[in-house]
């Protein structure tokens, strides 16, 4: 039998009926003899509601008090799930972040997990008790409640799985696994049986919303096997995660070599939450680019794609880069404040862009991946505005209106279409 950490997202916990369904899924694992801990998110929409309460109370709210408010959503669902399990005859109790404790560091509202004291938790699991743990929260050095940032429950689950030395961490969500691309856009998308940590980390970072990228990075560091499953199954069907697996996120050593060789590209992701900024007539001299990106870094604004055009005869050049859409206004403000030092002429924003990324460990040993991407897009008249590459990823920036076309074209070009799809 295995030691399993199960995590259920907000849609799975959205209301008492769904919580009762989650309780049935959890009890099936416990009845099979597994040692089980469960990490839960707040009900879908609750965190947004709590955040809005903070904003209505004051636009300059105290981050420490913000954490007190927004962490309450997970406390509610952990208690309700414990009650639902008890009603089914299961031995269960809730464990809040400060009771374990989950110790965190750094700032409120975006804390990072430092250590987890799992001794009592392991003892409870060994005795057959199902532990219900609110995700997203911990406790600071000075004893205050902290939160890990949006999507932090995935990170909580992986961290707890590492602390209790779980055999795997099952992430239950509203999809039944990781697909080659978004199946809502590409009907021939295929569900993947296994994906490496490295591939999933890149897919999560470039738009795939199945898992939070921080959780994947932590799983890779700690060697925690993750399985992505759906909690929305037929309620009349009796099954366990072992019978009908979703997608396993594992180390490269667990992947079969022949599968890695056969499939060059694992998945194609898209992200419409990008904004492009162009600075015109920047002085073409040493230090000019540093003058652009240093103030952005100081403002904690992440920059992704960067293009510097060939210098003009007058010693000037244009510089283009992308930032998250939510940071566009802040980035513009920062750059306008530094205009005198940078020396650019115009600042041109563009939100009508999308990033398309192809990801696969097969890129490490095969040439021509990027060329296939560029040709497939060119053949359908899709213009590429920017390019970035890594060892297992190629990303391009295109006009947002071409997003769905690009996904379909590339999915076919790389041979990822499911043979039995309609």
């Amino acid at each position: 039998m295995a030691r399993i950490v199960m995590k259920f997202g907000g849609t799975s916990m959205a209301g008492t009926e769904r919580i009762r369904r989650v309780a049935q899924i959890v009890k099936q694992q416990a009845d099979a003899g597994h040692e089980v801990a469960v990490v839960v998110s707040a009900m879908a929409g609750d965190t947004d509601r709590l955040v809005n309460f903070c904003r209505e109370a004051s636009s300059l709210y105290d981050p420490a008090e913000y954490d007190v408010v927004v962490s309450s959503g997970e406390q509610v669902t952990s208690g309700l799930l414990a009650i639902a399990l008890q009603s089914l005859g299961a031995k269960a109790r809730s464990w809040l972040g400060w009771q374990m404790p989950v110790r965190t560091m750094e700032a409120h509202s975006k804390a990072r997990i430092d250590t987890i004291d799992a001794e009592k938790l392991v003892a409870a699991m060994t005795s057959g008790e199902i532990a219900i743990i609110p995700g997203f929260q911990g406790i600071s050095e000075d004893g205050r409640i902290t939160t890990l940032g949006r999507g932090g429950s995935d990170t909580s689950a992986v961290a707890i799985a590492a602390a209790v030395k779980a055999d795997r961490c099952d992430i239950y969500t509203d999809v039944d696994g990781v697909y080659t691309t978004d199946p809502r856009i590409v009907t021939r998308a295929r569900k993947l049986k296994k994906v490496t940590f490295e591939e999933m980390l890149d897919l999560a970072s470039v738009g795939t919303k199945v898992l939070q990228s921080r959780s994947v990075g932590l799983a890779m560091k700690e060697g925690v096997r993750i399985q992505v499953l759906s909690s929305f199954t037929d309620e009349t069907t009796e099954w366990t995660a072992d019978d009908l697996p979703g997608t396993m996120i594992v180390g490269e050593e667990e992947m079969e070599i022949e599968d890695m060789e056969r499939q060059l590209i694992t998945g194609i992701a898209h992200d419409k939450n990008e904004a492009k900024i162009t600075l015109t007539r920047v002085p073409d001299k040493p230090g000019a680019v540093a003058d652009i990106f240093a103030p952005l870094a100081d403002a904690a604004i992440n920059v992704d794609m960067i293009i510097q055009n060939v210098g003009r005869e007058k010693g000037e050049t244009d510089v283009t880069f992308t930032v998250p859409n939510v940071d566009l206004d802040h980035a513009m403000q920062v750059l306008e404040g530094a205009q005198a030092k940078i020396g650019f002429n115009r600042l041109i924003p563009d939100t009508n862009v999308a990033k398309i990324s192809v990801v696969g460990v097969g890129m490490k040993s095969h040439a021509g991946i990027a060329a296939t991407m560029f040709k497939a897009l060119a053949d359908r008249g899709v213009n590429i505005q920017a390019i970035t590459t890594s060892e297992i990823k190629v990303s391009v920036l295109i006009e947002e209106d071409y997003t769905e076309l690009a996904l379909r074209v590339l999915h076919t070009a790389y041979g990822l279409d499911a043979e039995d799809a309609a």
Side-chain angles (χ1 to χ4, degrees):
M1 297 304 171
R3 179 175 292 170
I4 304 170
V5 173
M6 307 170 72
K7 184 266 177 178
F8 292 89
T11 52
S12 302
M13 305 297 292
T16 52
E17 286 300 321
R18 288 187 179 179
I19 289 174
R20 280 196 283 266
R21 175 56 183 156
V22 166
Q24 293 172 352
I25 296 172
V26 172
K27 189 173 184 294
Q28 285 179 16
Q29 293 287 1
D31 288 347
H34 299 310
E35 296 177 4
V36 179
V38 185
V39 175
V40 295
S41 297
M43 294 185 189
D46 266 15
T47 301
D48 287 336
R49 180 175 61 88
L50 295 169
V51 169
N52 286 334
F53 282 156
C54 292
R55 289 172 176 165
E56 289 172 5
S58 173
S59 59
L60 298 174
Y61 51 74
D62 179 357
E65 300 304 337
Y66 167 93
D67 280 354
V68 172
V69 175
V70 299
S71 63
S72 64
E74 283 75 13
Q75 180 171 322
V76 170
T77 50
S78 60
L80 289 174
L81 181 56
I83 292 171
L85 280 163
Q86 291 166 2
S87 73
L88 296 176
K91 183 181 177 183
R93 66 154 284 189
S94 60
W95 294 73
L96 300 187
W98 59 269
Q99 291 174 312
M100 299 176 57
V102 177
R103 300 196 181 278
T104 63
M105 54 187 176
E106 298 185 20
H108 280 279
S109 80
K110 49 186 175 183
R112 304 185 72 85
I113 295 174
D114 186 15
T115 61
I116 296 178
D117 185 351
E119 184 178 352
K120 293 180 181 178
L121 182 62
V122 170
M125 295 171 67
T126 303
S127 71
E129 180 179 274
I130 301 171
I132 316 299
I133 304 155
F136 178 59
Q137 69 173 239
I139 185 171
S140 65
E141 291 181 359
D142 60 356
R144 298 296 303 270
I145 292 291
T146 58
T147 62
L148 309 182
R150 300 306 294 265
S153 291
D154 284 352
T155 301
S156 297
V158 171
I160 289 167
V164 302
K165 296 180 171 54
D167 293 283
R168 69 173 189 266
C169 179
D170 289 345
I171 306 287
Y172 287 80
T173 180
D174 54 0
V175 296
D176 60 351
V178 179
Y179 280 74
T180 48
T181 194
D182 190 336
R184 296 168 299 182
I185 296 175
V186 182
T187 57
R188 290 183 175 271
R190 293 184 292 107
K191 187 173 73 172
L192 299 163
K193 292 182 179 180
K194 289 183 179 180
V195 178
T196 67
F197 290 127
E198 192 177 5
E199 289 171 324
M200 194 66 232
L201 187 60
D202 269 352
L203 286 169
S205 69
V206 294
T208 300
K209 305 301 183 184
V210 177
L211 291 173
Q212 186 205 42
S213 58
R214 271 176 65 187
S215 68
V216 181
L218 180 60
M220 181 165 62
K221 175 177 175 290
E222 299 293 338
V224 176
R225 300 167 76 246
I226 299 177
Q227 184 171 204
V228 178
L229 299 149
S230 173
S231 58
F232 297 95
T233 56
D234 183 352
E235 295 192 12
T236 63
T237 302
E238 293 293 325
W239 62 275
T240 68
D242 296 314
D243 298 327
L244 294 174
T247 299
M248 291 296 304
I249 317 298
V250 299
E252 281 193 30
E253 65 279 358
E254 194 172 328
M255 298 286 286
E256 295 183 8
I257 293 176
E258 58 267 27
D259 288 341
M260 291 172 63
E261 290 289 336
R262 182 171 65 249
Q263 186 164 299
L264 305 183
I265 297 301
T266 297
I268 304 172
H270 72 286
D271 188 358
K272 294 182 179 180
N273 299 312
E274 295 277 320
K276 182 177 69 171
I277 298 176
T278 299
L279 281 71
T280 66
R281 299 180 61 182
V282 175
D284 189 13
K285 64 180 182 180
V289 174
D291 289 339
I292 296 171
F293 297 110
L296 292 174
D298 291 341
I301 297 172
N302 291 324
V303 174
D304 186 13
M305 300 176 164
I306 302 174
I307 296 176
Q308 180 173 346
N309 296 331
V310 176
R312 304 178 181 180
E313 292 184 2
K314 295 181 179 179
E316 297 174 338
T317 185
D318 294 342
V319 177
T320 299
F321 56 91
T322 61
V323 298
N325 233 329
V326 294
D327 290 332
L328 176 60
D329 290 343
H330 190 193
M332 296 284 286
Q333 183 182 38
V334 168
L335 292 170
E336 287 168 353
Q339 182 173 12
K341 183 176 182 180
I342 299 170
F344 63 86
N345 180 38
R346 294 176 61 208
L347 194 58
I348 306 173
D350 183 4
T351 57
N352 186 33
V353 294
K355 180 168 64 177
I356 309 294
S357 304
V358 296
V359 177
V361 292
M363 292 188 194
K364 292 182 178 181
S365 55
H366 291 79
I369 302 298
T372 298
M373 183 183 201
F374 302 155
K375 185 177 187 306
L377 294 176
D379 288 346
R380 298 304 295 270
V382 180
N383 185 47
I384 296 173
Q385 302 179 23
I387 303 168
T388 58
T389 64
S390 70
E391 191 176 29
I392 67 166
K393 177 183 69 181
V394 180
S395 298
V396 297
L397 195 71
I398 64 172
E399 187 177 331
E400 184 179 342
D401 295 343
Y402 289 98
T403 301
E404 294 188 6
L405 173 63
L407 288 178
R408 295 190 182 98
V409 166
L410 293 173
H411 201 265
T412 299
Y414 288 112
L416 297 177
D417 291 350
E419 295 179 1
D420 57 349

